[in-house]
Amino acid sequence: MDATITDDTVVDIGVSFDGSWHKRGHTSNYGVGVVIELQTGIVIDYCVLSKYCQVCVNTATELGAESPEFDIWYEGHKEDCYKNYSGSSPAMETKAAEILWKRSLDYKLRYRTIVSDGDAAVLSHLQNLKVYGEDVPIVKEECVNHIAKRLGTGLRNVVKTCKAQGITLGGRRFGSLKQSTIVKLTKYYQNSILRNQDSVENMRQDILATLHHCVSSDSENRHTKCPQGDNSWCFYNRALAKGETPGPHARNLGTAISPLVLKHIFPVYQRLISRELLERCQKGRTQNANESLHSCIWKKCPKTRNVSKRIVDCAVAEAVSEYNYGNTIQSTLMGAAGVSPGRLSMKIIRARDKRRVLQAKKRLSAKYIKHRRQLKVRKLKNEETLKEKEGVTYGAGLF
């Protein structure tokens, strides 16, 4: 699109980066790092790391790991060895980022902006390496979904900490901090970020408004920070704008929290409404593309199966091809293998692509998102009701 760019021009782009592992937990032998371009959603590059090679293990058992014969054998084998990483499994994500960022210059690209979840020290590692030199910084943007998740984790930790101190924030009483309430507060926080991307200050005020709205009562009105007008999400201000008398809070306040709860959770909100953090959320970026690709990869190579690096390599390559080009890429792969796809094969391939697009459109609709959110909250409420009725039935080391 830019006529000034030639084959020798190094182009700066923004990418979303995330890592994934073949095994749940943090003991996996195989890890994958993927870079996805932000504007197009296309997978630019990926890296598969392995800290295990079955051939090396078998030969070491047969010849002895410290024997001269093994050393001689390994010299001829190391070019084909599946093991290309030494270190802990959690550090695979950082190592994959290092490889991909250094390799980007071979493609005349520089990944100047990174959307990351903050679970790993990827950004600080890249900054310490100074991949593109002293004068070319790498800027981070936050994934809005993970920032909202951070709030939920913080609120759950507050409930646990208070419980250890003999303070009960949960329970069935009105205004308690139940799991369903935490889910709603997390969604309110995320919505405040997304609808105020033009101003960090408006973002902060909207987040605080949702918090004070939830702690309001008939005796204590805290709706001054809530938006005004008859289209406001605040039932109180909406009623006033229409010239009506606001209804009781007990009936109209969908998510209520008590002043005691507010006292304990407010420090969590203070930490997550810092200007520095919210500035990195202004573009409303997410890592949904990475998560979607990870799902495609592990469907082809299930985490429940014992596999080799070669199988992981094939699964990642096939998933990336389908993600970038759709199922029609299968006809190209079949042709490269000397197999001519028949009429029925092409019909199935096109049907899969069509179904994939229709499903994506359906899941992006406001109606579907609202329905899915309601189901989640309803399920949590039912689970809480059953737990209260049954009492304590399970706990590590309790019985």
Side-chain angles (χ1 to χ4, degrees):
M1 294 174 65
D2 189 344
T4 63
I5 294 177
T6 65
D7 291 340
D8 296 326
T9 304
V10 177
V11 182
D12 293 337
I13 61 173
V15 298
S16 172
F17 171 78
D18 197 17
S20 186
W21 290 262
H22 177 254
K23 186 178 179 181
R24 292 180 179 87
H26 297 288
T27 58
S28 177
N29 286 327
Y30 310 110
V32 181
V34 181
V35 167
I36 299 180
E37 206 271 329
L38 291 177
Q39 298 298 328
T40 61
I42 297 295
V43 180
I44 300 292
D45 200 3
Y46 67 87
C47 175
V48 179
L49 295 179
S50 169
K51 59 178 185 178
Y52 182 79
C53 177
Q54 185 64 52
V55 179
C56 289
V57 172
N58 293 341
T59 308
T61 303
E62 184 179 343
L63 300 178
E66 304 297 330
S67 65
E69 290 84 357
F70 179 80
D71 293 337
I72 295 171
W73 172 84
Y74 185 75
E75 282 299 317
H77 168 73
K78 66 181 177 182
E79 290 294 328
D80 301 319
C81 185
Y82 286 155
K83 182 177 179 180
N84 60 359
Y85 170 78
S86 296
S88 67
S89 297
M92 281 182 172
E93 185 172 5
T94 304
K95 183 62 177 178
E98 177 184 338
I99 293 171
L100 294 172
W101 256 254
K102 287 181 177 179
R103 198 158 67 190
S104 68
L105 294 172
D106 297 338
Y107 311 134
K108 302 297 181 181
L109 295 173
R110 289 190 303 193
Y111 308 147
R112 292 286 303 277
T113 301
I114 173 176
V115 176
S116 180
D117 52 22
D119 292 343
V122 172
L123 181 66
S124 58
H125 182 67
L126 293 173
Q127 289 174 337
N128 292 335
L129 287 174
K130 297 180 175 59
V131 182
Y132 303 134
E134 294 278 353
D135 302 327
V136 186
I138 299 172
V139 180
K140 181 183 180 183
E141 292 182 7
E142 296 288 352
C143 170
V144 176
N145 291 340
H146 283 86
I147 291 297
K149 182 180 176 183
R150 198 179 298 176
L151 174 65
T153 302
L155 296 180
R156 291 183 187 94
N157 289 338
V158 168
V159 173
K160 291 179 183 177
T161 303
C162 289
K163 187 176 181 180
Q165 298 172 353
I167 304 171
T168 303
L169 298 183
R172 296 182 63 182
R173 67 185 184 279
F174 185 78
S176 62
L177 194 59
K178 302 181 283 289
Q179 286 298 320
S180 56
T181 303
I182 291 175
V183 171
K184 288 182 178 180
L185 290 175
T186 301
K187 198 63 189 176
Y188 297 159
Y189 175 83
Q190 184 175 0
N191 288 341
S192 296
I193 292 175
L194 294 176
R195 65 173 166 249
N196 294 282
Q197 295 178 35
D198 58 330
S199 170
V200 171
E201 188 57 35
N202 291 344
M203 212 179 279
R204 296 180 79 248
Q205 292 302 320
D206 201 359
I207 293 170
L208 291 174
T210 61
L211 187 60
H212 287 287
H213 173 86
C214 293
V215 82
S216 296
S217 63
D218 293 336
S219 59
E220 187 176 5
N221 178 359
R222 295 197 181 190
H223 298 291
T224 55
K225 293 181 180 292
C226 297
Q228 308 294 321
D230 55 3
N231 291 323
S232 172
W233 49 259
C234 172
F235 80 93
Y236 191 91
N237 288 344
R238 188 169 62 245
L240 291 179
K242 293 178 179 179
E244 302 171 355
T245 301
H249 282 73
R251 185 183 302 170
N252 292 280
L253 198 61
T255 309
I257 55 177
S258 66
L260 174 66
V261 170
L262 178 65
K263 174 185 173 182
H264 287 92
I265 69 173
F266 193 69
V268 179
Y269 272 85
Q270 283 183 310
R271 189 177 74 249
L272 293 176
I273 62 171
S274 68
R275 285 182 172 81
E276 182 183 358
L277 176 65
L278 295 180
E279 282 174 358
R280 299 199 296 266
C281 299
Q282 274 193 279
K283 293 187 179 179
R285 308 284 194 186
T286 69
Q287 287 188 307
N288 289 348
N290 294 82
E291 301 296 345
S292 177
L293 178 61
H294 295 164
S295 175
C296 294
I297 292 171
W298 304 126
K299 278 182 182 178
K300 298 179 181 298
C301 179
K303 295 188 176 186
T304 53
R305 290 179 54 191
N306 185 25
V307 297
S308 67
K309 179 178 179 291
R310 184 184 178 191
I311 294 177
V312 178
D313 281 332
C314 293
V316 176
E318 188 173 347
V320 167
S321 298
E322 289 185 10
Y323 191 87
N324 281 351
Y325 304 107
N327 282 279
T328 52
I329 194 66
Q330 295 293 341
S331 61
T332 305
L333 297 177
M334 292 170 70
V339 179
S340 177
R343 181 178 57 83
L344 186 58
S345 297
M346 293 304 300
K347 183 179 179 181
I348 293 173
I349 286 170
R350 294 191 188 100
R352 285 179 177 175
D353 280 338
K354 185 178 180 181
R355 183 170 65 246
R356 178 183 175 188
V357 172
L358 290 175
Q359 286 178 345
K361 288 181 178 179
K362 178 183 176 182
R363 290 169 181 169
L364 285 172
S365 66
K367 183 178 178 182
Y368 182 87
I369 292 172
K370 183 179 179 181
H371 175 67
R372 187 173 55 190
R373 195 179 303 149
Q374 288 174 342
L375 284 178
K376 184 177 181 180
V377 173
R378 196 180 307 150
K379 184 178 179 181
L380 284 171
K381 284 184 176 179
N382 291 338
E383 191 70 16
E384 288 165 1
T385 303
L386 291 172
K387 284 180 181 178
E388 289 290 332
K389 183 193 256 185
E390 297 165 356
V392 179
T393 58
Y394 178 84
L398 290 183
F399 303 102

